[in-house]
Amino acid sequence: MLSRVYCASTIGVDARLIEVEVNRSGGLPKYFLVGLPDRAVSESKDRIDAALKNADAFFPRGRITVNLAPADLPKEGSAFDLPIAVSLLAVSEQVKTEKLEKSLILGELALDGKLRPVKGVLPMAVEAKERGLKYIILPEENGPEAGVVDGIDVLPFKDLREVMNWFEDERTKEPLIIDPKNLFSKNGKAEVLDFEDVRGQENVKRALEVAAAGGHNVIMVGPPGSGKTMMARRLPTILPPLTLDEALETTKIHSVAGILESGKSLVTHRPFRSPHHTVSDVALVGGGSIPMPGEISMAHNGVLFLDELPEFKRSALEVMRQPLEDGNVSISRARMSVNYPSRIMLVASMNPSPTGDWYDPDDESGSTHMQMQRYLNKISGPMLDRIDLHVDVEKVSFDELSNKNKGENSTSIRERVIEAREIQDRRFMGISGVYCNAQMNTKMARKICRIDEAGEQMLKKAMNTLGLSARAFDRILKVSRTIADLDRSEGILSNHIAEAIQYRSLDREGWLG
């Protein structure tokens, strides 16, 4: 006798439908599990056996063959427990229903029959809808995550007994209904960080506003205690709110990575990831024997903050170059190739020297000019080439720290950022893959970022007298276009060029003094 149910497995941030086929025949009791299962899937038999007994069911006797098709696709994780159990119930006629052919079944089984949550439910629910299935049966904690997918009945259960009862009588469980728009309204004011808490540093806050308005990568250079980390953590509060499509993209990645909070439906705020400088190459960009997303993908549509950038391994920084340029991480293995989106804002910080202070020729205890240059050289030129704004951060004076007047709040800054992004939305309408000024290629930048004669002369003088590198040219054009958008100016004026030039300090020859 043969039974068949459906479950799913994730590949990258997408899912693939898996058929769980169980064949029962006569002979001595024997259990075979085939179809490239990993260790967790292979160990499912004992969990299923105990769960069936505690749900007042029994493990079928005879020669049992379980096939996970397609057989050439590796299967990993514990989400196959429940579909295998249900298929065993069907093949032994403990469950008789036509709903099996219309259902996607997911879940890990505890020994007492309770259902435990699994990873990657959102992309699996999307795949089930696209394949025309009517129901998705899953653990209660995963219900809200799948509930944001419209067009399929989401049925969350506590244990195996509830699942068996529903197959006998579907009136025992009502489908879960969630409106994604309500999730945004409920979570719209969850930020507890605000730029009004930052004393002084008006030039740095202005630079971060420009970065947020144009989607530019930024590096802050300054001594310890000057507020670099404090301001970086507040950057997501001035970025435009996530759209529904962006929220779904981000939630898919967090779901596959297993970092989505239990019972949460959507990621409704832009992510902020801050890995330690000891992070490995694979942890940063993704990979592994079974590919998983890295920090750069988990920050998709948000901010990746690399504190003390020169302390990161050179190899880890270098593997970020392609994802930063393409907005996508491609991981190839012998059996498969997966892609993870990585459209992020990179925010980095660093001290100006190994001792933490700026170069001072009169300070014998400070770092020498050569030591500072060696420290800076830990960051490669191609890596700096992908950072649009270089911002010098000075120490905050006592008068600024003791000032009781609050700074401008994040809400006011965000309004200007949103207005500038709306201008860019109209500018890049119909251009695939370009949503903000930072994503323009060289050809687009030369066409869109036209400057007048005064601005051209100023840029020429800056290139010659300040020793700006050639790679700074396009970056200055893009940043000046963003500054003009914040000023609601159709053209790029000389004052926009002048401000953009200030944000290329690490390109200047002799910037150390």
Side-chain angles (χ1 to χ4, degrees), residues 398-410:
F398 174 80
D399 291 339
E400 289 175 318
L401 286 173
S402 60
N403 191 340
K404 293 184 172 25
N405 295 325
K406 292 185 176 180
E408 187 177 18
N409 60 42
S410 294

Side-chain angles (χ1 to χ4, degrees), residues 57-200:
F58 62 86
F59 199 96
R61 297 177 179 272
R63 185 184 178 90
I64 305 295
T65 302
V66 180
N67 179 42
L68 307 177
D72 61 343
L73 182 70
K75 320 298 187 308
E76 61 93 19
S78 56
F80 296 91
D81 287 6
L82 183 58
I84 293 175
V86 171
S87 194
L88 289 170
L89 291 171
V91 81
S92 57
E93 298 185 339
Q94 298 177 76
V95 168
K96 297 180 180 179
T97 177
E98 296 179 354
K99 294 195 286 284
L100 283 177
E101 299 178 357
K102 305 173 185 177
S103 303
L104 181 76
I105 305 174
L106 308 166
E108 177 184 339
L109 283 171
L111 298 184
D112 60 359
K114 290 183 179 177
L115 300 185
R116 289 175 174 159
V118 295
K119 298 187 295 185
V121 165
L122 179 57
M124 293 177 186
V126 172
E127 175 69 8
K129 176 189 173 182
E130 292 177 352
R131 296 294 290 268
L133 298 182
K134 186 177 180 181
Y135 309 103
I136 178 168
I137 297 166
L138 72 175
E140 196 170 44
E141 291 90 339
N142 291 129
E145 183 183 343
V148 299
V149 179
D150 191 26
I152 187 170
D153 289 348
V154 177
L155 301 160
F157 293 97
K158 293 181 180 179
D159 53 44
L160 179 58
R161 192 189 300 272
E162 282 190 358
V163 176
M164 295 168 61
N165 291 339
W166 179 80
F167 277 119
E168 296 295 333
D169 183 3
E170 64 180 33
R171 291 174 296 179
T172 59
K173 175 68 70 171
E174 290 294 326
L176 180 66
I177 299 175
I178 292 178
D179 185 356
K181 294 180 180 179
N182 290 337
L183 298 175
F184 284 93
S185 61
K186 289 179 182 177
N187 299 325
K189 296 184 178 179
E191 295 98 348
V192 294
L193 302 175
D194 199 292
F195 265 101
E196 69 178 8
D197 303 326
V198 180
R199 298 289 187 268

